[in-house]
Amino acid sequence: MFKRILIANRGEIAVRVIRACRELGIESVAVYSTVDANSLHVSEADTAICIGPGPAEQSYLNIPSIIAAAEVAGADAIHPGYGFLAENARFSDICSTCGITFIGPPPEVIDRLGDKVAARTIMEDAGVPVIPGTRGAVTKERQALTFAAQAGYPVIVKAAGGGGGRGMRICYTDKELTQGFQTAQVEAGTYFKNPAVYVEKYILNPRHIEFQILADQHGNVVHVGDRDCSIQRRHQKLVEEAPSTFITDKTRAAMGKIAVRATEAAAYVGAGTIEFLVDEAGKYYFIEANTRVQVEHSVTEAVAGLDIIKEQIRIAEGETLSVAQRDISLFGYAMEFRINAEDPANDFRPTGGTVEFFNPPGGPGVRVDTHIYSGYRVPSLYDSLLAKLIVWGRDRTETIARGKRALRETLIEGMATTIPFHLWLLDQDDFVAGRATTNFVEQNYKGV
Amino acid sequence: MFKRILIANRGEIAVRVIRACRELGIESVAVYSTVDANSLHVSEADTAICIGPGPAEQSYLNIPSIIAAAEVAGADAIHPGYGFLAENARFSDICSTCGITFIGPPPEVIDRLGDKVAARTIMEDAGVPVIPGTRGAVTKERQALTFAAQAGYPVIVKAAGGGGGRGMRICYTDKELTQGFQTAQVEAGTYFKNPAVYVEKYILNPRHIEFQILADQHGNVVHVGDRDCSIQRRHQKLVEEAPSTFITDKTRAAMGKIAVRATEAAAYVGAGTIEFLVDEAGKYYFIEANTRVQVEHSVTEAVAGLDIIKEQIRIAEGETLSVAQRDISLFGYAMEFRINAEDPANDFRPTGGTVEFFNPPGGPGVRVDTHIYSGYRVPSLYDSLLAKLIVWGRDRTETIARGKRALRETLIEGMATTIPFHLWLLDQDDFVAGRATTNFVEQNYKGV
Amino acid sequence: MDKKKIDELIAILKKNDLSEVTVEENGVKMTVRQGDITIVEGGGALPHVGGHAPVAKTALSGEAAELAELETKYTALVSPMVGTFYQAPAPGADVFVAEGDSFEAGQTLCVVEAMKLMNDIVADEAGRVVKIVAADGSSVQFGQTLLFFEPLV
Amino acid sequence: MDKKKIDELIAILKKNDLSEVTVEENGVKMTVRQGDITIVEGGGALPHVGGHAPVAKTALSGEAAELAELETKYTALVSPMVGTFYQAPAPGADVFVAEGDSFEAGQTLCVVEAMKLMNDIVADEAGRVVKIVAADGSSVQFGQTLLFFEPLV
C-alpha cells in the first residue's frame, strides 16, 4: 500500500483525492501555487507544499517542482486528478523514472489513446464501431462523393491538420458536398498550410454517452455503467447524468461490452472513460478514450455505490479490482450539476471574486464536492468550477425534484454562478422527457 | 395532494421536512420562537410565522398558537417532526377537529402505543415476543420468586408507578431477589406513593435494534429494515447504524416480519418504529413502538434509497405506499453520528454559544442534515443536536473509514461537540468488530 | 442638488460593484450605497438563505424607515399571539379605536382571532393611538406590532 | 469632484483587497468601500479547516515573532523552487556563507537540490548574511525564506 500520495492538482478534485487517501489510511500531500494558499485542499491535506507562483505553467504544470515536492515529502505516488498533467505521457514517464508511481495509465497508453488517429485504428481493429469516415485524407472530390454515397448524408468535411471548426463543412447533398469540399480545401490550405481534408459521417442531434471503466494491472476490466453528458455548451459539459434514459437497457449492455473491449484493445490500466456519440436511432460510435478520472465520475459513484478514486488508487498499488462485472449494478438515477463561477445571463462570462457566504445543500440524496467556503477568494487563473452538486433519486423524477430543491438551497454569495441555468434546465420539458441532445443548450438557452 | 404543510418543529428535522415538501411541490410553513428567528428552518421555508417566546411551552408546545398559525397560513396539514408534539394524541385530535391533517397516526393509535402496558398487551396478543414479566403488580415475594424460577435469572424489579431508575433492582439469585423485592417496595412507596412493583426478565448486555415501518391508510405495511442503536449514553442514542451486524440475515427477516405483525396489530398508520432488545443469544423482545419519524430515520434512507419523510407525507395524503416489501432491499452500510453541542471530555455537559465557523464534510457517501451555519447562535433552550452526519459505504469497513474521514473534515468552531467521542468510538476494537452493546459507552468511555 | 454627480457616483458604484461611495466636497457630502446593509452589519447572521429573510416577510421595506422612526418615538402594542387582526368587534361595527383616539388602561384596542376565538387586546396603560400599522383582517404573528401609541401619564 | 482620484482609490481598494478607503484632502473627503464588511474584516481566510493552517506547517509558531522582526529589518532570500536546502556544496565541505559573512552579487549563497540536481542560489546584489533560517538539509518550498541579509550598497 502507498504510504503517501502527492496530489498534483487543486480545487475540488484535489479535495476529492485527499478524501480517498484518508479513507484508505494513506497520507496526502497537497501542492499549491501562491494564489491557492487559502484553498481547501491545502488545509485538508496532511502536508502542503507551495510549488510556485500562480500561473499554472510555473506551478501545477511545472513537472520539476512537482517531482521535487514528491521527493521532499517522501511521496511514493502522485495522483494527477484531471486537467493539468493528468494526460501528459511525459509526466507519467518521469514519475516512473523517479521511482514514483503515477496513478494513471503508463505513458505509452496515454500516447496511444491521445492520438485520435491511432486510437481510431485500435478501435476499428478491435471491432469497436467508429464514426464512418475516409481513412486518411482525400484529395479528389470524387472520392468524397463515393464515401457519401456509401455512408449516407449528412457528412462533414474536416481539415486533416486543423481544429476549432475552421475548414469544417457539413453537407446534406451531393451539390453541397461538391462546393463544401472545395471550400474546405481552400480554408485548410489557408489556415493550416495543409489542404488535406477528410470526410466523415455527420451525426445529427447526437447524445454524448460515455462508460466509466476500471482496469487493473492483471488484465481485469469492468465497466461501471454509462453517463449521459449531452448537456453541454461549446463542448463544455454542464450537467451529467447516469444512467442515460435515451438508450435501452439492451443497448446499454451492448455498449458496456464494447467499452470493455475497447479498454482491452488499448491495453488500458486504471480508471478511464470510453466516449461514444449515439445517433437518433440509437446507433453508437466510439469517439475517444479519456485516460484519467473525470469531473463527472461522481455521478457514477452515486448510482453504483463504488468509490472510483479509491479503486483507481488500489489499481495503481497493483491490487486486483475489488469488484467483478457481476458485482456492479446501478440503482436509481443521479445527476451532477457543475456550479461554475460563470454568469449564465451574460453568455457564461467568467465571474469571480470572494465567496461572501457559502451554504451548501444537504439532506437525503445530496452530495457536494467543493474546495470553497465562506470567505474563499476564487483565483482568476484557473478553471471556473466552484462546486459539483450531485443528487440521487430512486427514479429520474425524484432526482429532478431533488436537484431543484438542492439548487435552491445552495447559496453562493458574491458572484454569479451557473445555478440559474441549472434551475432553468430542470424546468424544460425536453430535458425532463429525456429528449435533450448535445445541441440542446445552444438551441434553447437564452439566458435567465 | 397537500397544498401547504406547517412544520410544528425546529432544528434539523424542520429543515428535513421542508426539503421533503420542496421535492413534492408542497409549500412549507415554518413556525418559530423568538429565539429561533435566525434558524435555518425559518429562512428555508416558503413562509415563516413567529408563534411565541423561547420557552417551548409558549411556542413549540403551544397548541393554540400552532393551530392559529396553520389557519392564518392556510396550511392543510401539520408535520410534527419528532419530540415536542409529535406523540401528543390530543394535538393529533385537535388538528383533525380543525380540519387539518396531522401527519402521523390518529390519536387513538398514539394513545394505545404510548401506554406501555396497553402496548405490551396488544403485542402479546398478536404473538409478538415481549420481555417476560409478571402481568401487573406482584405483592408477595413468593410470586416474584416463582416468576424468576420460570424465566431464569437475572430479573429486574421495577416500581409500577415509577421511572428513572428509582425503585429498580437487578437480581441474580433468589437471595438477591428476596432482598431486592423488599427494598424496591419500600423505595416505590417512598418515591411514588405506590408500593406496587412488578418483575421482568433482565436482558444482559442487550442490543437495541429497531425496525422502520411504513403503513398506509389502506392496510399496506412494509418494514424498511433494521437499525442498530446500541451506542447510547444514559438512554440517549449517539450513533445509529443500518443494518445491524449482530443479527443474522435469518433473524433480520424474522424480526422484520414480527415488526410488520406488530404494526398491523396496533392498526398503525404512518411512519413508525418497532423497537426490540436483542439478548446475547440473538433472542429478541419487543420493547416499544414509536409513533413518529425518528432522528435516525436517515440511516435507513441511506441503505434503502427511500425517502421516509416523503413516504410519510404521501401516506397522510391517503396515497398507497409507493413500494411493496419486495421492492425494498438494503444496499451497503450506513452510520449516523449525532453531533451535539455537548462536551464529551466533560461528561457530555451541554455547551453552546455561537458557531463561529461551520464547514460541513462532503464527498462520496456523506450526508449532512443540519440547521446550523457559520454565525448561527445555538439557543440554550432546546436540545443539543447541531447536525447529523450520515455516512454510507459499500461495506462496514468502508463506512467506518469514511466516518472517520468525514468527522475529521467537519469543522464546528466556537463550542465543544461530540465529534471527539465519535472519533474515539471508531477506533475501538469492540465497536469495529460489532461487539458493542447498550452498555458499551458507559463501561468504556472515559472522555477524550 | 447635483443630479449629474450622483449619476456619476452610481455609475462608479455599479461598474465596480461597490457597496458604498461617499464624496464630501465644499460642504456637500454625497453617499451612494447599494445592497442589503442591515444584514451585512448584522454580522454572523445568515444572509437571506433561500432568498427569504424572515423579518422581511412581514414588514415591507418601503415602510421600514417610517416604522423605525415610530418605534423610536412611541410605544408599540404587539400581538401576544398568532392570528387575524381586527379593529372592530364585528364586520361593519365601529372600530375599537382609531388613530388619534385616546384610551384608558383596560380598554380593548383591537381583537386577534385565533382558533375561531376573538381575543381582546387590552391596553395596559392609558394612551393615544398614533398609528395603526397592522391592516384590518390581516394575519399577525407573535410579537408583531399592531399599533403605536403615546402613553398618557 | 475628482473622478480620477476616485478611480485611483478604487484601484487601491481592489489591488489591496480593502473593504474601505477614505481620503480627506483640502477639505475634500473621499470614501470607497466594497463587499461584506463583517466577513472581510474577519479575514476571509478559512480558520484552520481540518486543524491544519498551511502556513503553520513550515514555520514554527515559537519562532514566528523573531522571523517577523527580521522581516521588517532585513531582506529575505527566498527559495525559487521546492527542494532540499544545503549550505555547503557537499557533505563535510565548507559552507558557502555563514552568518555574518559578506557576499558579492553573483556569489552562490546556498544550493537547493531538486530532482537530484543541485541548483545554485546566487545573490542578486551584494550583502551581509544576518541569519540563516532554513536548516541545513531541510525541505524548503517555493517562496520559503532561506536566509535574511543586509544589502551592502
Side-chain angles (χ1 to χ4, degrees), chain A residues 22 32 34 37-38 40 42-53 63-65 67-69 71-72 94 98 354 356-357 373-377, chain D residues 14 17 34-36 39-40 43-55 57-58 80-84 113-116 139-143:
Chain A
R22 281 256 166 97
Y32 64 100
T34 49
N38 289 318
L40 206 53
V42 175
S43 41
E44 287 289 359
D46 294 306
T47 313
I49 297 174
C50 182
I51 51 165
I63 295 178
S65 268
I67 298 286
E71 285 177 348
V72 304
I94 291 174
C98 295
T354 297
E356 304 292 355
F357 193 86
Y373 52 87
S374 295
Y376 175 73
R377 175 173 293 276
Chain D
K14 294 277 177 195
D17 189 24
Q34 72 173 349
D36 183 327
I39 287 177
V40 167
L46 185 65
H48 21 278
V49 165
H52 305 283
V55 180
K57 278 170 191 166
T58 47
M81 67 190 70
V82 181
T84 308
E113 183 199 333
M115 289 184 77
K116 320 280 177 231
S139 303
V140 292
Q141 52 186 333
F142 174 84

Side-chain angles (χ1 to χ4, degrees), chain A residues 5-87:
Chain A
I5 293 176
L6 180 139
I7 298 115
N9 216 303
R10 63 177 300 283
E12 71 86 19
I13 191 63
V15 174
R16 174 71 189 86
V17 177
I18 292 167
R19 286 177 171 144
C21 290
R22 281 256 166 97
E23 294 182 19
L24 290 170
I26 300 171
E27 287 176 39
S28 53
V29 180
V31 294
Y32 64 100
S33 74
T34 49
V35 301
D36 266 345
N38 289 318
S39 195
L40 206 53
H41 77 287
V42 175
S43 41
E44 287 289 359
D46 294 306
T47 313
I49 297 174
C50 182
I51 51 165
E57 306 72 44
Q58 295 172 62
S59 46
Y60 299 110
L61 289 169
N62 182 341
I63 295 178
S65 268
I66 289 167
I67 298 286
E71 285 177 348
V72 304
D76 41 11
I78 293 183
H79 195 299
Y82 51 69
F84 294 131
L85 299 168
E87 290 172 290

Side-chain angles (χ1 to χ4, degrees), chain B residues 120-128 135:
Chain B
R120 186 186 162 101
T121 306
I122 293 169
M123 296 308 158
E124 277 189 292
D125 292 348
V128 173
R135 274 217 177 190

Side-chain angles (χ1 to χ4, degrees), chain A residues 346-406:
Chain A
N346 209 336
D347 201 30
F348 291 82
R349 188 177 50 84
T351 57
T354 297
V355 177
E356 304 292 355
F357 193 86
F358 175 49
N359 190 63
V366 169
R367 165 180 171 185
V368 179
D369 277 54
T370 187
H371 58 295
I372 73 166
Y373 52 87
S374 295
Y376 175 73
R377 175 173 293 276
V378 181
S380 56
L381 288 163
Y382 314 113
D383 76 21
S384 60
L385 185 63
L386 293 175
K388 300 187 315 197
L389 166 62
I390 300 104
V391 296
W392 178 92
R394 216 172 156 83
D395 52 38
R396 194 163 178 270
T397 307
E398 183 174 55
T399 305
I400 289 174
R402 189 162 278 164
K404 278 191 213 182
R405 183 277 281 177

Side-chain angles (χ1 to χ4, degrees), chain B residues 335-358:
Chain B
M335 286 185 188
E336 173 178 284
F337 304 96
R338 297 196 192 189
I339 301 177
N340 297 337
E342 294 171 2
D343 184 1
N346 209 337
D347 200 32
F348 290 84
R349 188 177 50 80
T351 57
T354 296
V355 177
E356 303 291 354
F357 193 85
F358 175 49

